[in-house]
Amino acid sequence: MSLPGSLLFLATEFLRFIAFQFSNVHNVLFLQMLDCNVPGGKLYRGLSVVDSYKLLKGQKELTDTDFFLASALGWCIEWVQAYFLVLDDIMDGSHTRQGQPCWFRVPKVGLIAANDGILLRNHIPRILRKHFREKPYYVDLLDLFNEVEFQTASGQMIDLITTIEGEKDLSKYSLSM
């Protein structure tokens, strides 16, 4: 397993959050799912949070607390992206992502991957609640993640219904500016 330190910390928090205890086999599978789906890309989304926070604070270095909060928020963004990609791969019937088999194509995973995606998405508010609840922008963070999810789900719906064989007609859709 090659999870970066802050991601591993948030993953172990998740395993402590759950209302029931997974067996060690399930814990390992969950960590494998994270390793396969979350840190696989370039991580620009998450890394940009730390860089943006430094710019907004006008500091070259952050305190340990600020660095952790920016990293946690960055990982939330990476988790929501992983959630979208896990479900998108299933909906599109994809075979690979970043040169590796899609998570649902891994032996013994299958459609359990849909639930894994839901777990990824549902851990984000838990991270936000635990680490940002006392911040004045907490509700704004929740609203922002909900809006991003709605906009992405709406785009996914258009993607799915416009690619039905024999029914491709993009003239039915417009984007108001």
Side-chain angles (χ1 to χ4, degrees), residues 3-125:
L3 295 176
S6 54
L7 177 58
L8 185 58
F9 176 81
L10 295 172
T12 55
E13 271 189 349
F14 172 83
L15 294 173
R16 286 193 306 263
F17 276 143
I18 56 176
F20 56 92
Q21 293 299 310
F22 287 146
S23 70
N24 284 339
V25 171
H26 293 102
N27 289 347
V28 168
L29 189 60
F30 176 77
L31 293 172
Q32 180 186 359
M33 181 272 297
L34 285 181
D35 192 40
C36 180
N37 293 290
V38 179
K42 296 178 189 84
L43 304 178
Y44 290 148
R45 291 169 203 82
L47 291 171
S48 69
V49 175
V50 176
D51 290 340
S52 297
Y53 193 74
K54 284 180 188 176
L55 290 170
L56 290 170
K57 293 281 278 190
Q59 299 172 338
K60 290 186 179 188
E61 297 300 321
L62 298 175
T63 65
D64 288 345
T65 299
D66 285 345
F67 182 80
F68 175 80
L69 290 174
S71 296
L73 187 55
W75 282 118
C76 286
I77 292 167
E78 293 295 341
W79 283 39
V80 79
Q81 178 67 14
Y83 153 68
F84 292 137
L85 295 178
V86 166
L87 296 181
D88 181 67
D89 288 343
I90 294 168
M91 288 183 249
D92 293 347
S94 299
H95 291 276
T96 60
R97 176 155 308 275
Q98 298 175 347
Q100 301 296 320
C102 294
W103 179 240
F104 81 101
R105 300 258 183 215
V106 170
K108 298 184 181 180
V109 175
L111 291 180
I112 293 170
N115 191 71
D116 289 339
I118 293 166
L119 286 173
L120 283 168
R121 172 58 180 105
N122 281 278
H123 187 48
I124 294 165

Side-chain angles (χ1 to χ4, degrees), residues 136-156:
Y137 49 84
Y138 170 66
V139 172
D140 295 322
L141 287 175
L142 292 174
D143 286 345
L144 184 58
F145 274 95
N146 287 331
E147 184 62 21
V148 165
E149 183 176 18
F150 173 76
Q151 293 291 334
T152 304
S154 297
Q156 180 69 11

